[in-house]
Amino acid sequence: MKLSNGMSFWGALLFGALLLGAPAYAQSTQGPTIIPPSPRSGAAPVPAQRDADRLRPGQALVDEIVVEGTQRIEPETVRSYMAIKEGDPLDGDRVNQSLKGLYATGLFADVTLRQEGGVLYVRVVENPIINRIAFEGDDRIEKDLLQNEIQLRPRIVYTRTRVQNDVKRILDLYRRTGRFAATVEPKVIQLPQNRVDLVFEIDEGPVTGIRRISFIGNRAFSDGGLSEVVQTTETRWYRFLSSDDTYDPDRLTFDRELLRRHYLKNGYADFRVVSAVAELTPDRNDFFVTFTIEEGERYAFNEIKVESKIGDIKSESVIGLIEIEKGDWYNAEAVDDTVVQLGDAVGEFGFAFVDVRPNVARDREKRTIDIVFEIQEGARYYIERIDIVGNVRTLDKVVRREFTLVEGDAFNSAKIRRSRTRIQNLGYFSQVEVNNVPGAESDKTVIKVNVTEQSTGELSVGAGFSSQNGPLVDLKIRERNLLGRGQDLRASATLATKQQNFDISFTEPYFLDKDLSFGVDAFHSKSNSIREFEAISTGAGLRFGYALAENWRHLVRYTLRQDEVEDVDSGTSVFIQREVGTDIASTVGHELTYDRRNSSTQPTDGYVFRLSNDVAGLGGDISYLKSKFAAAYYHSFAEEWVANIRGEAGYVFGLGDDDVRISDRFFLGGDKLRGFANGGVGPRDVSTDDPLGGKQIVSGTVELTFPLGLPKEFGVTGALFSDVGTLTELDFDDPRIADTGSIRASAGVGLGWRSPFGPIRIDFAIPLVEEDFDDTEIVRFNFGTRF
């Protein structure tokens, strides 16, 4: 920046002082010409007279401001940014303000002021306009993400300050992805008409990992044990599929909270994290992370009481909900769970505004904690609105319709928690956070729903081998959130040497915007026995489902199906040859479900019951009644240790004089009875080894899944299981039919891997109780992936 003959910008104030005694900047040694006032009495002086009155001895007057060097900007625009105007005295303060004002616009790279007589010359050098912005070397981060991070855009004025700010933003973005060694160098390419291309040359550098995690002050837990608690992990070669071994300051903050929860869960009520420090190694490739903690003393529960300040709620009626016992180690998580349980219980009595407060009394000498759960009416809040964020693909209404309350309802924490569970059970989101913040008025609250979407498409592949059907592959493609509308579309196929099945179905969970599901199914199957007969089944169906209560749901369905048995080889079982021909089955059925699981997708606690009945005979050629009951129970003993007991029983019989055809009978084996092939158990024609199915089925499974002690990021779990089952009874007797009706049993081990490509499961099962004519299968493999 220059003034007159190269005077610096910072000499502007000195320039103003020189104006008082430097005749070179004065217009005339005699002062400006004064125009006399008009002869009228009391006439005001003209402007020139007023300016002369303000002039100090030797001070010049600005008669004209001349702007030079402009290309895109109008001269008048330049003058508008200046504090000094034509007709003003040439004052140093105003000159200084004018220089600052012009530079503050960001439009000019240089500004020079020069005074000659009564003319003030303003020469400017305009900053160029950005023509194009490009990125080079950005392999790990998409260009769209980089473009959204910076503030410069094409057709915006280029300034060095803005460029440096954007360089910092890009570096911050790379550091958030764990690349602290990244460098960014801006390059400017000059173009005609005072335009430039801006290129950010990026050297991403290696990922900045975690070389070592250390803990200072821990006595109760080892460094290795605490390393399993925090999410940040040390860099290892096998963690190439995870980002937890790269430094992330936000993750380090979360680790502090994880440590706090861990210690509070294990009785250390005075625990605190003193500091969490990450030090960059000299080569800038890794970090040393150090947690300094104070464990404090370990406390146990002493007296646990409940005090109700709501007249209609007696303490005795809810004290039984508390699972905390005197003498147990203090557990902050158990206290929080108890608060939720008490709040839910009181809410069920119709109290929407409930406040449960755990009042803690700590005895530091005895190292015990007394807790009194105080139940009182909370402040009355009403829901002003429900805001949903994070759903890029899923429509708002898909999330909103899972809420058990709407805008204007009384705030109820129990219903909010149930709503969160319903949203999580959709399976569309990896994370669901529901919080409330103050509304526009004192008695209003806003529900904030923050979701993180996950893949809802599935491609599942199952492989197996059966002596009956040979090698087989099961394929299933499914989209559970079609077009973000919550609709379910699936298609599956089973391909084997002797069997082919195809089916497709579509489900609208909220038909006509009501809590009424509507579905359409179509299917076609074709199977060949070893003797090469064909059984073909083709049909379609409709389904309607609705909620009876919070945990009860009812489904009604109708199916029209055509069954054909043809091309029967002379060596095929005579009991199958009898069924050669075509039959039409018109079936009406229903399914009643009671579900109290904590999750419908990955349950670890709770139970579910299902009862279904199907009646054929309302039209068509065949009549039967088929009933089936299924139940499952889940219980978690510890983290990732989940026991599961499930069972199923079914029976089908013909109505009138009709026998139950082979296409309507039950078959047992495969996933329901591991260790035996599909259809490997039950009545069988021993002369041809053809399975015939059965009218009565019972099966059950006891299974325990557990961690294998490997790092969590491996996602590998083990399983121990035992399956039992039986399939029996036909409408006819014959010495050629083997049907003992005996119980079959198997036991085995399984290995599961939550791989990046989807769940993979392999089971090894050995039949413990079997018949000589059963068809066994030792290994069963299932593979699924998500896209």
Side-chain angles (χ1 to χ4, degrees):
M1 297 177 286
K2 298 178 181 179
L3 181 63
S4 188
N5 297 322
M7 182 178 294
S8 68
F9 170 71
W10 301 107
L13 292 178
L14 179 59
F15 170 73
L18 291 174
L19 289 177
L20 298 177
Y25 295 97
Q27 186 176 19
S28 171
T29 57
Q30 303 296 324
T33 303
I34 305 299
I35 301 176
S38 66
R40 292 185 300 166
S41 175
V46 295
Q49 180 179 348
R50 293 198 304 269
D51 291 336
D53 291 341
R54 292 182 296 167
L55 289 176
R56 294 187 293 272
Q59 188 177 23
L61 191 70
V62 178
D63 293 331
E64 184 181 2
I65 298 177
V66 178
V67 179
E68 299 175 338
T70 55
Q71 298 181 32
R72 302 181 311 274
I73 303 171
E74 294 293 331
E76 190 58 37
T77 301
V78 177
R79 296 188 187 98
S80 67
Y81 291 125
M82 297 177 63
I84 192 169
K85 308 295 182 183
E86 293 179 354
D88 288 344
L90 193 58
D91 180 77
D93 288 340
R94 293 188 182 184
V95 170
N96 186 27
Q97 294 174 14
S98 298
L99 284 170
K100 289 182 178 179
L102 290 172
Y103 274 104
T105 63
L107 300 173
F108 309 107
D110 193 16
V111 178
T112 302
L113 297 182
R114 185 179 76 258
Q115 185 259 340
E116 294 181 3
V119 180
L120 180 62
Y121 291 91
V122 182
R123 182 167 186 79
V124 297
V125 178
E126 294 181 0
N127 277 322
I129 293 294
I130 297 176
N131 176 63
R132 184 173 64 94
I133 298 177
F135 301 93
E136 294 182 358
D138 52 317
D139 297 328
R140 301 293 179 178
I141 298 181
E142 297 291 337
K143 284 183 171 57
D144 290 344
L145 185 58
L146 290 170
Q147 188 65 59
N148 292 334
E149 189 73 15
I150 64 175
Q151 292 187 349
L152 285 173
R153 296 288 184 271
R155 296 182 297 279
I156 287 181
V157 175
Y158 168 92
T159 67
R160 291 183 180 180
T161 302
R162 290 176 177 174
V163 172
Q164 292 303 319
N165 289 338
D166 280 348
V167 167
K168 184 178 182 300
R169 291 186 180 93
I170 296 174
L171 289 175
D172 288 342
L173 178 61
Y174 272 97
R175 287 169 181 170
R176 290 198 298 269
T177 62
R179 295 181 179 272
F180 280 77
T183 60
V184 179
E185 184 177 354
K187 294 293 182 66
V188 177
I189 302 174
Q190 299 289 342
L191 300 175
Q193 301 178 352
N194 200 25
R195 296 176 300 124
V196 296
D197 283 343
L198 178 59
V199 180
F200 291 100
E201 293 185 355
I202 302 173
D203 181 3
E204 296 181 323
V207 173
T208 310
I210 306 297
R211 185 171 299 180
R212 186 175 66 247
I213 300 177
S214 303
F215 298 89
I216 299 175
N218 54 311
R219 302 185 310 274
F221 300 95
S222 65
D223 284 12
L226 294 181
S227 295
E228 292 293 325
V229 174
V230 298
Q231 185 175 354
T232 302
T233 59
E234 294 179 354
T235 301
R236 295 291 184 269
W237 65 268
Y238 52 78
R239 291 184 172 129
F240 61 94
L241 295 175
S242 172
S243 63
D244 290 342
D245 59 347
T246 60
Y247 174 68
D248 184 344
D250 293 334
R251 188 185 299 124
L252 205 62
T253 301
F254 182 57
D255 288 338
R256 296 170 64 109
E257 177 63 17
L258 290 177
L259 287 171
R260 190 188 70 85
R261 294 178 187 176
H262 174 72
Y263 272 92
L264 292 180
K265 183 179 179 181
N266 287 277
Y268 294 88
D270 296 331
F271 172 82
R272 72 187 187 96
V273 179
V274 178
S275 65
V277 179
E279 298 176 294
L280 192 61
T281 58
D283 58 8
R284 300 182 63 84
N285 290 331
D286 295 295
F287 275 94
F288 293 116
V289 176
T290 304
F291 294 94
T292 303
I293 63 178
E294 289 183 1
E295 292 182 333
E297 300 296 338
R298 196 177 190 188
Y299 291 80
F301 286 115
N302 189 29
E303 297 295 333
I304 309 296
K305 298 180 180 179
V306 175
E307 290 184 2
S308 175
K309 295 187 176 181
I310 302 178
D312 295 338
I313 303 296
K314 302 299 182 183
S315 301
E316 296 77 11
S317 63
V318 293
I319 189 68
L321 297 174
I322 300 178
E323 299 179 357
I324 300 172
E325 296 183 1
K326 183 178 180 178
D328 291 345
W329 290 115
Y330 173 76
N331 187 335
E333 187 176 297
V335 174
D336 293 339
D337 292 342
T338 302
V339 169
V340 172
Q341 292 173 356
L342 292 175
D344 290 346
V346 176
E348 295 295 336
F349 288 109
F351 293 90
F353 307 100
V354 178
D355 185 17
V356 180
R357 297 183 180 179
N359 297 323
V360 177
R362 188 176 312 181
D363 189 330
R364 298 185 184 277
E365 293 183 0
K366 296 181 180 180
R367 298 176 188 173
T368 59
I369 291 179
D370 296 335
I371 298 183
V372 177
F373 293 96
E374 186 179 281
I375 302 175
Q376 57 186 355
E377 289 195 57
R380 294 181 175 271
Y381 290 101
Y382 296 89
I383 297 177
E384 179 179 336
R385 67 178 186 275
I386 299 174
D387 293 339
I388 303 169
V389 296
N391 53 320
V392 178
R393 178 166 168 265
T394 306
L395 300 181
D396 272 12
K397 71 174 185 178
V398 174
V399 180
R400 196 176 298 276
R401 65 195 183 192
E402 297 301 326
F403 272 87
T404 56
L405 32 67
V406 297
E407 284 94 343
D409 285 355
F411 178 82
N412 186 306
S413 57
K415 290 185 177 181
I416 292 293
R417 283 188 288 271
R418 282 199 293 271
S419 299
R420 181 193 178 280
T421 301
R422 287 165 59 99
I423 297 172
Q424 188 74 60
N425 285 341
L426 291 174
Y428 307 157
F429 311 107
S430 59
Q431 291 183 348
V432 178
E433 295 181 1
V434 181
N435 301 303
N436 59 291
V437 297
E441 301 177 14
S442 59
D443 63 342
K444 298 293 180 62
T445 186
V446 177
I447 305 300
K448 295 281 188 180
V449 184
N450 196 327
V451 298
T452 302
E453 292 184 326
Q454 65 181 4
S455 297
T456 54
E458 297 178 5
L459 172 62
S460 298
V461 181
F465 182 85
S466 167
S467 60
Q468 178 72 20
N469 296 313
L472 72 90
V473 176
D474 293 323
L475 303 174
K476 182 174 72 173
I477 297 176
R478 182 183 182 188
E479 173 53 61
R480 295 177 288 112
N481 187 16
L482 185 65
L483 301 177
R485 299 177 178 273
Q487 298 165 338
D488 191 343
L489 178 65
R490 71 176 74 186
S492 64
T494 299
L495 305 176
T497 306
K498 300 294 184 178
Q499 181 178 359
Q500 299 87 41
N501 295 324
F502 304 91
D503 67 79
I504 185 171
S505 66
F506 171 80
T507 303
E508 168 57 69
Y510 277 80
F511 186 57
L512 300 177
D513 290 328
K514 306 289 185 182
D515 190 8
L516 172 68
S517 65
F518 169 72
V520 181
D521 305 293
F523 56 88
H524 175 78
S525 66
K526 181 178 180 181
S527 63
N528 302 335
S529 74
I530 295 177
R531 301 299 182 181
E532 297 185 355
F533 80 91
E534 289 187 351
I536 303 173
S537 180
T538 305
L542 300 176
R543 293 173 281 112
F544 291 92
Y546 55 93
L548 294 174
E550 177 65 26
N551 303 111
W552 289 93
R553 192 160 187 87
H554 191 227
L555 176 73
V556 179
R557 56 181 174 243
Y558 173 77
T559 304
L560 183 64
R561 187 182 77 240
Q562 176 181 281
D563 298 325
E564 300 178 64
V565 177
E566 58 184 30
D567 296 337
V568 179
D569 188 85
S570 58
T572 304
S573 171
V574 295
F575 307 107
I576 297 177
Q577 294 185 40
R578 294 175 184 175
E579 299 191 12
V580 173
T582 301
D583 293 298
I584 302 294
S586 176
T587 307
V588 176
H590 82 106
E591 182 177 277
L592 183 64
T593 303
Y594 181 65
D595 193 348
R596 292 301 300 267
R597 294 173 297 175
N598 61 346
S599 171
S600 61
T601 54
Q602 294 180 337
T604 59
D605 197 26
Y607 52 90
V608 60
F609 299 102
R610 289 190 179 92
L611 173 66
S612 64
N613 303 98
D614 291 282
V615 179
L618 303 177
D621 304 320
I622 55 180
S623 301
Y624 65 82
L625 173 63
K626 178 184 287 187
S627 300
K628 188 163 60 176
F629 176 78
Y633 173 76
Y634 300 86
H635 179 71
S636 178
F637 295 99
E639 186 175 1
E640 296 189 46
W641 288 76
V642 180
N644 170 222
I645 302 175
R646 56 185 183 271
E648 178 182 300
Y651 190 77
V652 57
F653 60 90
L655 300 177
D657 297 329
D658 288 351
D659 292 338
V660 179
R661 296 176 59 84
I662 188 171
S663 57
D664 299 316
R665 298 172 196 153
F666 297 107
F667 287 84
L668 182 61
D671 290 334
K672 291 184 178 180
L673 188 59
R674 286 162 288 190
F676 297 87
N678 289 325
V681 171
R684 183 179 298 269
D685 187 336
V686 293
S687 63
T688 62
D689 200 32
D690 290 331
L692 303 177
K695 297 170 55 179
Q696 178 179 311
I697 186 174
V698 177
S699 65
T701 295
V702 177
E703 183 170 294
L704 174 67
T705 59
F706 52 87
L708 295 177
L710 297 174
K712 289 184 179 180
E713 57 267 26
F714 276 24
V716 179
T717 58
L720 295 174
F721 61 84
S722 178
D723 295 342
V724 296
T726 183
L727 179 68
T728 185
E729 193 175 333
L730 293 171
D731 287 318
F732 44 85
D733 293 323
D734 192 283
R736 289 167 294 182
I737 297 177
D739 179 17
T740 62
S742 62
I743 296 291
R744 274 75 155 186
S746 66
V749 297
L751 192 65
W753 178 32
R754 295 188 299 273
S755 75
F757 314 102
I760 295 176
R761 176 71 183 256
I762 182 169
D763 292 319
F764 301 88
I766 299 176
L768 301 178
V769 180
E770 60 178 309
E771 298 291 345
D772 294 337
F773 53 84
D774 288 340
D775 189 2
T776 61
E777 178 184 76
I778 303 300
V779 181
R780 190 160 188 86
F781 174 81
N782 285 282
F783 167 75
T785 187
R786 299 177 182 273
F787 61 91

